[in-house]
Amino acid sequence: MAEIVDIAIVGGGPAGLTAAIYGARARVNTVVFEAGLPGGQIVSASMVENYPGFPDGVTGNDLADLMFRQAQGAGAEFRTINPVEAIRPDGKQFVLSTPSGDVAARVVILATGAIPKKLGIPGEAEFTGRGVSWCATCDGPLYRDKVVAVVGGGDSATQESVYLSKIATHVHLIHRREELRATQCLQEQCFYNEKITMHLAHTVDEIVGEGGRVKALRLRSREDGSVSDLPVDGFFEFVGIDAMSDLVKDLCDLDELGFVIVDRSGQTSHAGLYAAGDVANYELKQVVTACARGAFAVDHAVRYLNLEFGV
Ligand SMILES: Cc1cc2nc3c(=O)[nH]c(=O)nc-3n(C[C@H](O)[C@H](O)[C@H](O)COP(=O)(O)OP(=O)(O)OC[C@H]3O[C@@H](n4cnc5c(N)ncnc54)[C@H](O)[C@@H]3O)c2cc1C
């Protein structure tokens, strides 16, 4: 094997980009492998209002771009549109398989993040891209002067509802519980917005279409079981995330939901393999925590490299 990198970071979202900044600044050979373009999930956030340093908020796209430029400027190397397809141990090292060939790495930091969960209801697959979406920033502008619905009760659902209310004529926010679980200030932005109607204690049973596009949502009340059709032109789902941990499922311990179990430093149950960001099993999956965990992981990894490989 010709090429050996010191730190291979798999995933170029906030966790991977922060790890890249710290790794490169430690003057360790740091390479980021990214399946698409750098940025991760945050690229689909219309506005990030809780990342320190941006009192007026920042679009997810701009924040991702700033982090990427900072990592590149620090000296990290990027291999984009280059998904890691497999990771296998090779003695104390690892071999990463990518479409452009195999690469050996002394340390791997898994920062593959998560992908939005799907509801798995009738009509979802049929109308994906034809009215059903997981990204308000990408698809919201298609619904100018139209009616949309959002399902979910957390920060993403409320934040994206507020964003969509600036474009659509009306937004219906549907949540299966009687209370939202979003941060209080995001809840208030929804409750006091006359363009947002809440449908609490309701589930979406089916996405109903006509002429190949979404026409209505079939809602079920969890209080009395009654079913009704809510006419909408677009439907956005923000109901949680699934960990992108398949690559390491046979290498280290995962929790019952598929998140990688890590200690405080980001070390997994396999020596030399770290995990940071949404793929790891800690609470509060946010940009600021992903960044912090990326920094912890690489800080520990640099010490491990020194101890085990004399780097
Ligand atoms: C709509 C929306 C709005 C949000 N708003 C906010 C907000 O306002 N504030 C906030 O703090 N958080 C917000 N979040 C959450 C935040 O985006 C995530 O917590 C954060 O992006 C997690 O970062 P990460 O680096 O762990 O993973 P991700 O952002 O998921 O990045 C993982 C990266 O890994 C890449 N990857 C995956 N598999 C592979 C592979 N096999 N090989 C190579 N690369 C791979 C992916 O392409 C991706 O780029 C929002 C999320 C969404 C979806």
Side-chain angles (χ1 to χ4, degrees), residues 258-280:
F259 292 90
V260 180
I261 297 174
V262 291
D263 67 14
R264 282 162 62 98
S265 66
Q267 170 76 58
T268 68
S269 57
H270 191 116
L273 176 63
Y274 295 79
D278 279 9
V279 74

Side-chain angles (χ1 to χ4, degrees), residues 10-16 33-42 44-50 82-85 111-114 116 134 156 159-160 238 244 247 276-279 285-288 290:
V10 186
F33 297 85
E34 166 53 53
L37 295 174
Q41 292 169 71
I42 202 61
S44 56
S46 51
M47 187 58 77
V48 178
E49 294 178 346
N50 56 1
N82 198 25
V84 172
E85 293 160 337
T112 42
W134 288 264
S156 296
Q159 176 180 275
E160 301 309 304
F238 299 104
M244 294 285 279
L247 276 177
D278 279 9
V279 74
K285 299 204 182 300
Q286 291 276 281
V287 178
V288 74

